Structures are given as C-alpha cells and as structure tokens.
Amino acid sequence: SVFNEEGRSIYGAVIDIARVLGDGSVKKLKTSYSSESGEFLFRFTEGTATYRITASAKGKAVSKDVTVDSAAIYRLALTLNLGEEKENQ
C-alpha cells in the first residue's frame, strides 16, 4: 500500500515493478496504479527473485526491494513524503 507522511492512502500513485538482476541492474516488468485505499497488486510465476517496487506521485518517488521465494501474499507499505504545503487561511 502507498501512504503519505500523515498515514493517509494515496490514490492513483504510479507503481512500477522491476526485477533486480544478479549484477544489480534492474529490468522493468510492469506498471500499475494504487487504488483508493492505496493498495496495488502484482502476480508473478513461482521462483525466487528480488523485485524493486517504486511508488511515485506529484514528482516524488520511493522504492523498496522485496525478495520473493514462494507463492504467497507479500504486504509492503511505501510512504511518500509529498511535502504538501498547507494553504494559509
């Protein structure tokens, strides 16, 4: 799931997933968007691999690497520090 620095879900964040290769390089695999609740979902074939998940919105981005070793549900929380300025009232 994708959250802002206040813990609120971010709807419509761009989610990129790439496979981290043995030499440290990455191969982009898929792009999706977060739901109203900040959630996203990717499905892959079985096998051990490390993936880099990147969430971006409003020109900011955050990434985390996840090693998948079996078919399962993996939960990942990404926090985007959007640094939104509050309007003076």
Side-chain angles (χ1 to χ4, degrees):
S1 297
V2 184
F3 304 97
N4 67 15
E5 61 274 16
E6 296 174 351
R8 295 185 181 152
S9 300
I10 298 178
Y11 171 68
V14 176
I15 310 298
D16 290 314
I17 189 159
R19 186 170 183 160
V20 179
L21 304 176
D23 63 2
S25 64
V26 295
K27 178 182 177 186
K28 185 175 176 181
L29 300 174
K30 297 182 181 185
T31 297
S32 187
Y33 297 90
S34 59
S35 68
E36 288 181 11
S37 59
E39 296 177 337
F40 56 90
L41 173 73
F42 291 99
R43 294 176 192 221
F44 294 98
T45 57
E46 288 190 45
T48 301
T50 299
Y51 297 97
R52 179 162 300 148
I53 293 87
T54 303
S56 57
K58 298 184 179 182
K60 307 285 178 136
V62 64
S63 297
K64 283 191 181 177
D65 289 356
V66 176
T67 299
V68 175
D69 56 8
S70 64
I73 295 173
Y74 292 81
R75 300 198 185 278
L76 177 68
L78 297 168
T79 301
L80 271 171
N81 187 353
L82 298 178
E84 298 174 338
E85 294 181 19
K86 297 179 181 175
E87 295 180 23
N88 295 330
Q89 296 183 2

